[in-house]
Amino acid sequence: MLEENTLSIIKPDATRRNLTGKINSRFEENGLRIVAQKRLHLTKEQAEKFYEVHKERPFYGELVDFMVSGPVVVQVLSGQNAVAANRNIMGDTNPANAEEGTIRRDFAESIEANSVHGSDSVENAKKEINFFFSDTEIVG
Ligand code: ADP
Ligand code: MG
């Protein structure tokens, strides 16, 4: 059994539509536990740094603008194979390709405004969790 932590972000399109609780129910109903959580309005610098891996992609500037367009909820999800489990619950990046019953299929507005972020590997999860949380803020 692989107990892992992963970083989840509820993006501004979802907080704007008051979907925080509905989205978090999906995680809890699927066996993940929210072990750290805060609501933030990211600065441009934070959003640029967080998405630095995408800096050469054509959508980088718009993505950063979107991520600072309203509040986000950053959180740590814990559970068995949490990184992959979260990605499955989220669905494909493009909601048009996301499977039925996934968060992005049900809530995303577009490929950009796709309601949630989730770490894509255990290594990146560690980095992303450290970006927002200190060890004492994570309470399992
Ligand atoms: P994921 O969030 O599924 O891991 P990526 O890491 O590839 O997807 O992209 C990061 C974020 O950038 C996406 O969640 C989405 O908000 C945005 N994005 C990805 N591809 C596009 C695109 N083609 N056009 C606009 N925004 C995009
Ligand atoms: Mg990604």
Side-chain angles (χ1 to χ4, degrees), residues 11-20 22-23 106-110 113-115:
K11 295 185 178 181
D13 67 288
T15 60
R16 190 179 297 124
R17 288 174 290 148
N18 209 20
L19 293 170
T20 299
K22 277 202 176 114
I23 287 172
D106 291 345
F107 300 124
E109 293 181 324
S110 67
N114 58 5
S115 302

Side-chain angles (χ1 to χ4, degrees), residues 41-57:
H41 199 135
L42 295 179
T43 64
K44 194 158 190 199
E45 291 66 32
Q46 277 177 307
E48 283 172 348
K49 184 116 197 292
F50 184 79
Y51 278 120
E52 206 161 31
V53 290
H54 296 308
K55 111 168 151 255
E56 306 306 331
R57 315 258 302 257

